[in-house]
Structure formats: structure tokens, C-alpha cells
């Protein structure tokens, strides 16, 4: 298990390093880097599935620690996958805007009738304003999606950690009072997380309603 763990951890660090090159890569090559990152992330998830099986087979005195280490790797790679998806969403939006702008610039306008003539400068200005508004909405939606994914990941991690803490506490023979304090803190964290998710959803709804 140790060999596969260190190998997977090294792969995560390599993906983190490559993620920093996304913004600096030219438009013709960026999709190749995205495909490489996606393939590496998929391979890491495959290794994590194997690590979960191996962790469950560890001796009882090392099993809890092994599962916590695997959960940390899973948490890290989930954030990398979310960051890659957000970058791709922004890139698709920019490319769509560029195509629309090129189509508008290449369109032939006629002035046969003064009543039907199109003021090109005003049209371009309006189109630019609309694109900026759409870009702002896309960025807000991407950020909201990232926050929601992060909250879901944290909820999963907290639930797993809570269960493992209870298991460890049982093994160590902690008192019932300490056990109740741990459960009460976990319940408070759950309500805080749900409240944060609701506030994020309300914020995204208001942004879409008033900017749309």
C-alpha cells in the first residue's frame, strides 16, 4: 500500500504543477493539456479505488490512519478536477464570444434605406456590453458551482472523519460525555454547511434574476 500511496501522491503533485500551465498555454495547444490532465486525474481515481481496498485490509491498529490518508488524497484530487472543469467552462465561453464577435465584424451591412440602416458602432458597443455581462454571469456561476462542490466534498469528508473519530474513541474507551460533545460538534458543522449551501444558491438565483 505504501508504494501505491506515494505514487498516487506524486501524481497529484504533478497534476497541480501542470494546472499552473493552463493559463499560459496557447489556444491551439490548451485542449491537449486539458486532455492530459483529465487522463491523469482519471488514473489517480483508479489508484484511489485500489488504495481504499488496501486500507480496509490493514491491521486494526493502522486501518483508521490508512483510511484518513486515502481520504486526504481523494479530497485533493476532487478539487483539482473541479478547478479543471471551471477552467474549461471559462475557455468555452471566451471562444464562443470570440466567434460571435468575428461573425459580427465580418457581416456586411447595407444602407439602402436610412430607416433600416444599422449603426455599427452602437451595435458593437451593445454587443460588447452584453458579452461582458454574460462573462460576469459565467464567472459567478462557475464560482458558485466550485463553492457548492467544495461544500459537498467537505460534507463527505466531515461525515467520514466523524465516523472514524467515533470508531477511534470507542477503541480508546473515551467517556460518553466526550462522545456526546463530538456528536454535537458534528451536528453544528452540518447545519453550518447546509446554511452556506442555501446562501450560495440564493445568491446565484439573485444574480441570474437581476443580470439576466
Amino acid at each position: 500500500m505504501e508504494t501505491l500511496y506515494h505514487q498516487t501522491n506524486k501524481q497529484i503533485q504533478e497534476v497541480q504543477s501542470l494546472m499552473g500551465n493552463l493559463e499560459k498555454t496557447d489556444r491551439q495547444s490548451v485542449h491537449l493539456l486539458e486532455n492530459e490532465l483529465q487522463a491523469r486525474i482519471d488514473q489517480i481515481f483508479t489508484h484511489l479505488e485500489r488504495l481504499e481496498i488496501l486500507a480496509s485490509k490493514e491491521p486494526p491498529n493502522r486501518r483508521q490512519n490508512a483510511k484518513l490518508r486515502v481520504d486526504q488524497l481523494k479530497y485533493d484530487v476532487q478539487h483539482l478536477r473541479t478547478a479543471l472543469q471551471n477552467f474549461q467552462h471559462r475557455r468555452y465561453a471566451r471562444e464562443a464570444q470570440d466567434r460571435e464577435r468575428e461573425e459580427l465584424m465580418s457581416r456586411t451591412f447595407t444602407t439602402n434605406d436610412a430607416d433600416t440602416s444599422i449603426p455599427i458602432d452602437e451595435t458593437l458597443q451593445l454587443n460588447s456590453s452584453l458579452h461582458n455581462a454574460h462573462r460576469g454571469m459565467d464567472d459567478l456561476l462557475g464560482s458558485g458551482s466550485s463553492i457548492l462542490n467544495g461544500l459537498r466534498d467537505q460534507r463527505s469528508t466531515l461525515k467520514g472523519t466523524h465516523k472514524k473519530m467515533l470508531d477511534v474513541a470507542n477503541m480508546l474507551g473515551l467517556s460518553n460525555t466526550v462522545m456526546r460533545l463530538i456528536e454535537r460538534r458534528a451536528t453544528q458543522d452540518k447545519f453550518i454547511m447546509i446554511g452556506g449551501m442555501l446562501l450560495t444558491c440564493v445568491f446565484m438565483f439573485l444574480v441570474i434574476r437581476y443580470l439576466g
Side-chain angles (χ1 to χ4, degrees):
M1 175 179 175
E2 287 299 317
T3 301
L4 183 58
Y5 172 83
H6 289 297
Q7 179 184 354
T8 305
N9 189 40
K10 181 180 178 181
Q11 288 177 324
I12 291 177
Q13 293 175 358
E14 291 173 350
V15 170
Q16 289 174 333
S17 178
L18 288 174
M19 290 284 290
N21 297 330
L22 281 172
E23 296 290 350
K24 298 180 290 184
T25 305
D26 59 86
R27 293 177 58 179
Q28 289 73 24
S29 305
V30 67
H31 69 282
L32 298 177
L33 180 56
E34 289 175 351
N35 292 339
E36 180 182 354
L37 286 169
Q38 186 60 58
R40 288 178 179 242
I41 290 174
D42 291 341
Q43 185 180 32
I44 291 172
F45 273 108
T46 300
H47 289 173
L48 288 173
E49 292 177 359
R50 177 62 179 165
L51 281 171
E52 287 181 331
I53 296 174
L54 294 175
S56 65
K57 296 181 180 180
E58 285 286 298
N61 60 330
R62 294 191 303 178
R63 188 176 302 157
Q64 295 296 331
N65 184 53
K67 289 183 177 180
L68 286 173
R69 294 170 68 194
V70 174
D71 285 343
Q72 182 60 50
L73 292 180
K74 185 184 297 184
Y75 182 79
D76 292 340
V77 74
Q78 284 173 341
H79 276 277
L80 290 175
R81 181 173 62 181
T82 300
L84 177 60
Q85 291 173 345
N86 288 338
F87 174 84
Q88 290 175 322
H89 175 77
R90 293 194 301 271
R91 181 173 70 83
Y92 296 152
R94 287 195 301 266
E95 290 179 353
Q97 293 168 3
D98 291 341
R99 286 194 300 269
E100 292 175 3
R101 186 178 297 108
E102 291 175 359
E103 291 175 0
L104 182 63
M105 293 296 294
S106 62
R107 186 178 304 166
T108 302
F109 295 97
T110 60
T111 56
N112 295 332
D113 193 316
D115 294 333
T116 60
S117 62
I118 301 177
I120 298 177
D121 292 339
E122 294 181 5
T123 302
L124 290 176
Q125 184 177 2
L126 177 59
N127 184 68
S128 177
S129 299
L130 289 174
H131 283 322
N132 290 336
H134 290 163
R135 180 178 298 178
M137 290 180 63
D138 289 337
D139 290 341
L140 286 172
L141 290 174
S143 299
S145 176
S146 178
I147 292 172
L148 288 176
N149 288 333
L151 288 171
R152 281 195 293 265
D153 293 341
Q154 291 176 14
R155 179 187 179 188
S156 177
T157 302
L158 285 172
K159 288 176 64 178
T161 304
H162 173 232
K163 183 177 182 302
K164 290 166 186 175
M165 288 177 64
L166 293 179
D167 293 340
V168 172
N170 286 326
M171 293 172 58
L172 297 177
L174 293 179
S175 66
N176 291 332
T177 301
V178 176
M179 296 284 287
R180 285 194 296 270
L181 288 175
I182 293 174
E183 291 179 351
R184 183 182 304 171
R185 179 58 185 271
T187 302
Q188 293 173 351
D189 290 343
K190 178 180 179 181
F191 286 132
I192 292 173
M193 181 195 64
I194 293 174
M197 293 178 67
L198 291 175
L199 287 175
T200 301
C201 291
V202 171
F203 176 74
M204 291 175 63
F205 171 78
L206 292 175
V207 168
I208 295 173
R209 179 181 178 85
Y210 290 103
L211 290 184

